[in-house]
Every structure is written in C-alpha cells, then in structure tokens.
Amino acid sequence: MRPLLLQGGRVIDPSRDFDRTADVLVQDGRIAALGAGLGAPDGVDVRDVRGKIVAPGLVDLHVHLREPGSEDVETIASGTRAAVAGGFTAVCAMPNTDPVTDNQAAVGFIVRQAARAGLARVYPIGAISVGQRGEHLSEFGEMVAAGVVAVSDDGRPVVSSHMMRTALEYARTFGVPVADHCEEPTLATGGVMHEGLVSTRLGLKGIPAAAEEIMVARDILLAGLTGGQLHLCHMSTRGSVDLIRRAKEQGLRVTAEVTPHHLALTDHACEGYDTHAKMNPPLREAADVAALRSALQQGVIDCIASDHAPHAYDAKEAAFDDAPFGVVGLETAFAVAHTELVGGGVLTLPELIARMSTAPAAVFGLPGGSLTPGAPADVVVLDITARWTVDAVNFHSKSRNTPFAGRTLTGRAVLTLVGGALVHEANGPTP
Amino acid sequence: MTAVLGKDLIGLEHLSPDQIRLVLDTAEPFKEVSERPIKKVPALRGKTIVNLFFEASTRTRISFEFAEKRLSADTVNVAASGSSVQKGETLVDTAKNLEAMRIDMVVIRHPSSGAAQFLGDRIRSNVVNAGDGQHEHPTQALLDLLTIRDRHGKIAGLKVCLVGDILHSRVARSNIWGLLKLGAEVGVCGPDTLMPRGIEELGVCRFRRIEEAIEWADVLNVLRLQLERMERGFIPSVREYYRVFGVTVERLDRASRDITIMHPGPMNRGVEIDSRVADGSHSVILAQVTNGVAVRMAVLYLLAGGRPELAVAANRAAAPE
C-alpha cells in the first residue's frame, strides 16, 4: 500500500483536543506522522486537502446491516459501502438478523463477510437472549471471543427485569456493555408514532414518552444494582434525558446515544402519513428535540448513532399502520448533524466530530476515534462547505427509506480511509 | 376538470368553511330526488365508481351506493378483507389495477388511518373517504351538519357535544373539524380512557359527567361504543358505562332545555343510548340516515366537477330513463 500524505487540511482530533492546520502521513495502515510541513517521502500519494477537515473516522454504534436474512434490503457489503461514503470507518451491527446473531458461529459469519467486503470495520453486537426471545441468555463468553463488542436485543426491549439484571451482571464478566432498546411493551403495543396532538389529529395510535422512560428508569436502577455497563439506544424523550443526567450524577456506568433524525425532526414529519417518518422510537415533540440537543452538547448523551435501518421500497409503500419502523441513515448522518447542530449553533465542529467518533469509540471501548501517531489510520476527510440535496437514488445503501429526501444539507465525506486503505473517494454526484 | 372540493374528499380538517357550506347547500336540492317515484337524475351518467370496502359496513356502503345510483353512475362494489394478503400491498396493487380500468371515482373504507389519502395520492381518479381507521369519516360529519342545520336552522353558535369513545372515533374527528369551522361550540364527553391526547388543544371543551354535557349542549351526538373496547380494558363493563355515560330519558328530563339527539349508527341500545331516547321525539337519528344519501350525492357531484349553482337545474333536467 502506497503511503498517503494528506496535505494542508484542518486536522481535528478530539482525542487530544487537537485542532490546527497540519499534514497527516499515513503509512503501513497507521498514522505515521502528524504535523506542519511534513515532507513527502518517495512514492507517496499526496492529496491536497486544503480547506477540508481531516478527522478520525466516524464510528456508529448502531446499524442494521440485515445480513443474514434480508440481503434484498442490505448486505454487509452494501451497508459498509454506505458507511464509508458517509465517513464512517467503523459500525456496530445489531443482532436482529435472521437467524439472530446469538452465537459464536453467527458472529464469525459477520466478521468474515465484513473482511470480505473490505470497507468499514464491522463490530458485531450479540443478542442478549437466544433468538431475541427474552427467555434464555445467549453465550456471551463465546460471542465476545468471536468478536462481539456489546450485547443487545435491539429491535425489541428486554421485557423481563430479571433478564436485564442477569444480562448486566453476566456481560460485566466479559467487560462488554448491554445496549437496551427501551420500550415498555404493554404501553407501546400497536403504537405507530408519538402519542400527542399530531397522533390525535391523524387518528394513529400513539406511543407515549412514558413507554421509553419507564424502561430507561428501570435499566438505570438495574445498572445501579449490578454495577454493569448500560448503554441506552436511540434516546428520544426529554424525560429520558433527565433520568440519564441523574444517573450520571450518581456515577453509574450509563451511556446513551441519539440519532440524527431524533435531533432534527418532530412528529410533524408524520403529517400526510409519510411512512419515511415512521421509526421506533418515534419522532417526538419540539421540546424533546431541544432537550436531546442540549443533552448532547452537555455530554449527558454521549454520542450520535444512525440506527441505520434499511427497508424495502414496497414495505414502506403502504398505509402508515402497515409500514415497518426505521430509516436509513449512514449516508446522511454527518450532513444532517452538521447542518442541524453546527449550523444551528448547538455544537462546534470539533464537538460534533467527538460525538460521532471519539465518544462512541470510547463507549464500546473500540479502537479508533483518534489520530495519534501509531493509531490505525481510520481517517475521514470532510468538506464542510459542500451543499448537496439528498436524493436517495444516489445512495450506496440498497435501501432508500430516508426522511430527509429533498433536503439540502451541508457537509460530506470526500475521502475515507480504513486502516490506511482508501475505501471511499467522492467523485461525481453526492448522494 | 377542477372541482371546488379538489380532487379528493379525505377529511374536513383541510376543507374551508365555504367548501363545507357549499356541500351542505348542494345537498339541499338532492334531498328531493329521493322523494320522487323515479329516484334518478342523470348528473353522473357515464361515470364509473368503485366502492372499495376493506372493512365491514352496511349503512355507509348502501348510502353511497344509493347516492351513486340516483345520480345514474355505474357502480361496482368490492368487499376486500385485509386478512389473507398484507393490507398495504393489497392497497397499492388495488390502486394500480383500478387506475388501469379507467374508473372515475373510488369510495374507500379502510381500517388504517391515512389509507384514503394513500390511495388518493397514487391514482388520478377522485377518491372519497368513507372512513379510514380512526382518522376521518367526512361524509358522516357532513350529514350530521346538514341534519343539525335542518333541525336548528343554523350551526354557528350551537353547542354540540360528542359523547363516548372519542379516542377511536373517526366520526368524532370529522365532526369536530366541521362544527368548529362552521362556528359551533364543541364539547366532548366520555371516560378519560377514551379521550385522545391533546383533544382540548383542538378547541373543544371537555366534560367528564354526562349530566353536565346534557345541561350544556343543544345537540348530543352519541357515538357507538365498540364492544371490543371493553375487552381491551378501556372500560370495565358495558353495564357501568351505561350507568355513568348512558344517554337516558331520566337524564334528558332533568335538562333545562330541549336537546337534539344524534347517533351515527349502528346503535348499541342500552349501552350508550336508551331505546326510549333513540326512538323519542328528541331523536333525529333516522333523519341523519336520510340526509346521508343527499350529502353523498352532493359530494360525488361536486368531485365530478359539477357546478353547485347548477345542482338544482341538474335535478330538474331529470329525464325518465
């Protein structure tokens, strides 16, 4: 692999509070040197990145790659292609595949498919319970040995409090967090959007904020009981933010993520029965969006995760009640977050990069999120002045179920390196 | 042809007061058609209408069918049960197939909120919502408005209270929009378990006691209590519901003024309404049914591009066929 010199960019490395113009030399898959006016050794591939941002590759703790089981809507290859196009160098794959990723063999399959694709790093997440049925604990030990970085029954809540307690305790044995999809099922069943004035007007069954908050509160109590590491997936309500803030003040091992769509959209997006605004947890109210933004700014919520959830066109082309939950996000996550949060004065650019790279890497204890010399060269070059309009036809993902179609956003990944290999270079139309 | 109501009638939320008044005014001359020995005018001759019912309905379907036939349209009834095929797929494919057959209008009843708009957005034909999930049932509200206007000579300034299961009721939503737009005061009365979130923000007042609602209202529109609500635990028993919220003769007798009783049907006698009330002098329940045909004739006529000022003439021009 030829050495690569990224010359003259604004280098932002939140892991070291580094933010200045510098060159970055990538050699043998690692960050070889970082500094002003680095010489170009013989045979080096020099890229002029003046006016661009050089940052650690983005890390996504929450994606659904749909392989095995639904290869028609996404594969590990197409999903990681979408990831690197969006500036992500590492993604964590949720286990709600078919069959469920609940054993070491299934984990090995994902690791091998990711290696074969050779794009973003894929860190599998193992199921908490066999078949995600909430009955028997999966074999965490073997799955961790096979490469799992966390356990989760995402897509479904862990209904039994006893199961959640056991999972937190048993996961602690192997040093991995338990990521929970917080949804109290008896309150949420049949709901298709946020319960509020909009659901009343549309005549759609709502999912009250309390359905999430009850489980957030329960999980926090169990984290306190067990000393286990709890990660709260896709937080959506201001009440959840208050609960997480208190848990952190108590020093509990609790982390949380929020999606770009929950930071950018409200339940009004469901008007006209747009099934691309149907996701779980549902889009909430403006006050929730405001609380989530300030929680992210304050670090109460640790990071942004896409909850990339591809679905077939036909499945979303249905009455609202009948459409599946979820939206794709890998190719719009940075641009949406940059436009809404940096453009909206919520975060500085280094803070945004921290929340999408350094912080999520730290939450699951992953390599990455840093440009320290010697670190693996997982790097993204961002053009934060690029304005582009979302057209799902241009996505690398196999699916197009985005709620942001037609939106004009600023910011995109122009170069993505994984382990020093150039895996994405923007040319031609942006997605 | 641009029609005064737009391409489709999905709900009353997005209609203007003038558009609603226009439907009611257009319905007036159509009332008379149903009183003739030969109940037919040629207004929609040559038009094809499909009545697409994904949910059981007797009264609404028959009312639409009479309205269509009395306007001389050619009609086909499709009763599709959503059980065997996934509902969404059926709807997309059905829409495409209907379009291919070059029909003029679809009247759709569907258990999913938004289904009528979904269809309307995907075909060129006019779509009339005959009830979509818990969203809207605009022709029911229009016939309710017409019946109120017939009885009271006006709508503005009247106090109309909807009683019962507001949460699951498309009739309630359409009535709330229509009544508010025409200047009525609107109340809702029922147990809190059957009230949707944020209902007061729509501009309605809330009653928890039926006695208070009766004392306040000029008109009570008593909604059907689906018996499955009890199975789902929204109310503990039908017996208690009747004792707490039933519209009974005794309760009406204690009211200080005359009150009009409406019900969209089908009634559960002895559950939400006392038979003596349903059949008594306060009741306009059968007048609602009669007006249903005229209102639906008006809606179909206007959507087809009929000019409201010609509705009277259209009737006079009726020729024996």
Side-chain angles (χ1 to χ4, degrees):
Chain A
M1 207 185 305
R2 277 174 79 191
L4 184 71
L5 184 66
L6 301 170
Q7 211 166 41
R10 175 181 166 195
V11 178
I12 297 176
D13 180 1
S15 74
R16 295 183 295 148
D17 282 330
F18 187 97
D19 181 2
R20 71 183 92 113
T21 302
D23 301 339
V24 177
L25 179 66
V26 173
Q27 207 164 4
D28 301 328
R30 297 191 172 269
I31 307 288
L34 191 157
L38 294 182
D42 280 350
V44 75
D45 182 4
V46 179
R47 298 297 175 112
D48 179 357
V49 293
R50 280 177 293 176
K52 308 287 195 296
I53 308 298
V54 180
L58 307 181
V59 176
D60 194 339
L61 298 187
H62 193 141
V63 302
H64 299 272
L65 298 179
R66 303 296 189 216
E67 185 181 357
S70 300
E71 292 84 353
D72 53 327
V73 300
E74 200 78 289
T75 60
I76 289 170
S78 68
T80 51
R81 182 72 191 86
V84 295
F88 291 94
T89 52
V91 296
C92 299
M94 281 294 177
N96 60 338
T97 46
D98 183 14
V100 170
T101 310
D102 60 4
N103 62 80
Q104 58 178 345
V107 173
F109 171 77
I110 291 168
V111 171
R112 283 193 304 279
Q113 288 297 81
R116 186 177 297 172
L119 296 161
R121 298 179 198 272
V122 177
Y123 295 106
I125 296 173
I128 291 172
S129 61
V130 175
Q132 293 192 311
R133 286 190 294 270
E135 293 163 4
H136 303 287
L137 217 53
S138 306
E139 292 160 341
F140 292 3
E142 287 187 347
M143 290 197 294
V144 169
V148 147
V149 296
V151 290
S152 179
D153 273 354
D154 183 65
R156 296 181 187 176
V158 179
V159 176
S160 155
S161 300
H162 171 71
M163 171 67 77
M164 189 64 190
R165 175 205 175 142
T166 311
L168 283 162
E169 288 173 337
Y170 195 55
R172 200 179 169 183
T173 313
F174 304 101
V176 293
V178 178
D180 197 20
H181 167 122
C182 294
E183 179 183 356
E184 205 290 307
T186 63
L187 280 177
T189 297
V192 295
M193 67 172 293
H194 173 62
E195 181 180 304
L197 185 57
V198 180
S199 68
T200 290
R201 283 178 34 236
L202 294 177
L204 292 171
K205 182 160 166 38
I207 301 173
E212 174 173 303
E213 293 153 5
I214 286 169
M215 292 305 243
V216 169
R218 180 202 71 172
D219 286 358
I220 287 171
L221 291 169
L222 293 174
L225 175 68
T226 60
Q229 187 187 346
L230 171 68
H231 180 68
L232 298 161
C233 296
H234 43 51
M235 290 290 96
S236 73
T237 79
R238 51 195 191 269
S240 294
V241 167
D242 290 339
L243 291 164
I244 299 163
R245 180 177 285 119
R246 251 178 285 159
K248 289 197 166 182
E249 282 165 5
Q250 289 165 22
L252 298 177
R253 298 171 72 203
V254 175
T255 54
E257 68 187 34
V258 61
T259 72
H261 44 273
H262 288 105
L263 292 166
L265 301 172
T266 66
D267 57 348
H268 285 283
C270 301
E271 304 259 10
Y273 302 95
D274 183 357
T275 58
H276 290 124
K278 181 175 176 182
M279 58 278 281
N280 193 7
L283 298 170
R284 303 286 185 181
E285 297 170 9
D288 297 301
V289 172
L292 293 167
R293 287 178 173 211
S294 87
L296 188 67
Q297 195 270 330
Q298 295 160 3
V300 171
I301 289 177
D302 301 80
C303 61
I304 295 174
S306 73
D307 195 6
H308 179 79
H311 286 292
Y313 171 82
D314 285 343
K316 282 286 192 179
E317 180 71 357
F320 203 90
D321 280 339
D322 300 326
F325 293 103
V327 295
V328 291
L330 283 167
E331 292 171 82
T332 51
F334 177 76
V336 168
H338 178 257
T339 307
E340 292 285 330
L341 303 178
V342 178
V346 178
L347 298 180
T348 63
L349 181 62
E351 284 170 341
L352 175 64
I353 290 168
R355 299 269 170 252
M356 296 188 76
S357 171
T358 314
V363 167
F364 279 5
L366 309 176
S370 173
L371 296 177
T372 308
D378 290 2
V379 182
V380 64
V381 177
L382 301 160
D383 179 352
I384 57 165
T385 61
R387 275 174 69 78
W388 58 285
T389 301
V390 180
D391 182 353
V393 170
N394 297 324
F395 283 166
H396 295 89
S397 168
K398 285 185 152 191
S399 293
R400 296 172 178 177
N401 50 306
T402 174
F404 296 109
R407 277 238 194 167
T408 297
L409 304 172
T410 55
R412 64 193 273 226
V414 290
L415 282 179
T416 307
L417 305 178
V418 174
L422 185 57
V423 289
H424 170 73
E425 183 162 14
N427 46 14
T430 38
Chain B
M1 211 175 329
T2 315
V4 287
L5 295 182
K7 184 176 90 67
D8 306 321
L9 178 66
I10 302 301
L12 299 193
E13 182 179 359
H14 300 292
L15 287 191
S16 70
D18 281 344
Q19 284 174 311
I20 294 171
R21 272 190 287 267
L22 184 73
V23 176
L24 303 185
D25 293 345
T26 307
E28 290 293 344
F30 284 121
K31 282 180 182 172
E32 182 262 331
V33 174
S34 298
E35 306 302 328
R36 297 178 194 173
I38 297 172
K39 301 175 176 57
K40 219 170 182 70
V41 294
L44 295 188
R45 194 158 58 188
K47 299 279 184 191
T48 44
I49 303 180
V50 175
N51 298 312
L52 186 58
F53 279 65
F54 289 87
E55 205 179 62
S57 160
T58 305
R59 155 184 339 233
T60 302
R61 186 179 55 73
I62 291 176
S63 180
F64 266 108
E65 201 174 341
F66 275 136
E68 293 154 5
K69 288 190 153 69
R70 286 172 192 179
L71 290 169
S72 305
D74 296 316
T75 66
V76 177
N77 292 324
V78 181
S81 90
S83 55
S84 55
V85 194
Q86 206 199 349
K87 285 177 241 157
E89 288 174 0
T90 307
L91 197 52
V92 176
D93 285 341
T94 307
K96 288 176 183 162
N97 281 287
L98 290 175
E99 191 76 291
M101 286 186 266
R102 305 290 183 263
I103 49 142
D104 297 293
M105 284 194 205
V106 181
V107 175
I108 180 175
R109 156 77 56 102
H110 197 281
S112 293
S113 299
Q117 183 175 335
F118 180 90
L119 189 69
D121 289 346
R122 282 160 183 77
I123 63 176
R124 286 188 296 275
S125 318
N126 306 108
V127 171
V128 182
N129 183 6
D132 64 325
Q134 295 156 11
H135 176 225
E136 286 223 40
H137 189 353
T139 58
Q140 177 68 44
L142 289 165
L143 74 87
D144 290 343
L145 291 168
L146 185 64
T147 308
I148 293 170
R149 197 172 75 169
D150 286 350
R151 173 87 165 194
H152 292 267
K154 62 172 187 177
I155 291 168
L158 287 179
K159 293 175 173 160
V160 182
C161 190
L162 298 152
V163 180
D165 181 1
I166 311 296
L167 178 62
H168 300 96
S169 176
R170 53 197 176 208
V171 175
R173 283 168 180 76
S174 288
N175 261 279
I176 289 169
W177 296 123
L179 288 162
L180 290 174
K181 282 168 196 276
L182 296 192
E185 287 182 61
V186 182
V188 290
C189 178
D192 282 72
T193 47
L194 295 175
M195 285 294 149
R197 187 77 85 83
I199 187 75
E200 291 94 340
E201 292 173 61
L202 298 182
V204 304
C205 45
R206 176 82 176 78
F207 296 96
R208 286 185 172 78
R209 286 171 46 79
I210 187 69
E211 292 82 2
E212 289 168 8
I214 289 170
E215 190 57 42
W216 176 81
D218 300 303
V219 178
L220 279 192
N221 197 342
V222 186
L223 303 173
R224 173 180 170 78
L225 184 80
Q226 304 274 358
L227 297 183
E228 69 169 57
R229 302 302 167 223
M230 191 183 66
E231 292 151 25
R232 297 278 192 84
F234 289 97
I235 54 165
S237 69
V238 166
R239 192 187 62 80
E240 174 162 289
Y241 183 85
Y242 186 62
R243 287 195 64 173
V244 180
F245 292 102
V247 178
T248 60
V249 167
E250 291 73 20
R251 283 178 169 138
L252 291 185
D253 283 347
R254 279 197 294 273
S256 52
R257 57 178 152 177
D258 246 11
I259 193 162
T260 302
I261 300 295
M262 304 174 71
H263 193 299
M267 283 185 282
N268 293 309
R269 291 169 182 263
V271 177
E272 68 265 359
I273 192 165
D274 183 342
S275 267
R276 291 169 298 164
V277 173
D279 303 332
S281 60
H282 299 290
S283 168
V284 293
I285 293 171
L286 291 175
Q288 289 174 269
V289 178
T290 307
N291 277 339
V293 177
V295 154
R296 291 178 174 119
M297 288 172 78
V299 165
L300 296 167
Y301 173 77
L302 292 171
L303 285 177
R307 290 162 60 186
E309 67 275 18
L310 296 183
V312 177
N315 289 340
R316 282 206 205 96
E321 306 215 350

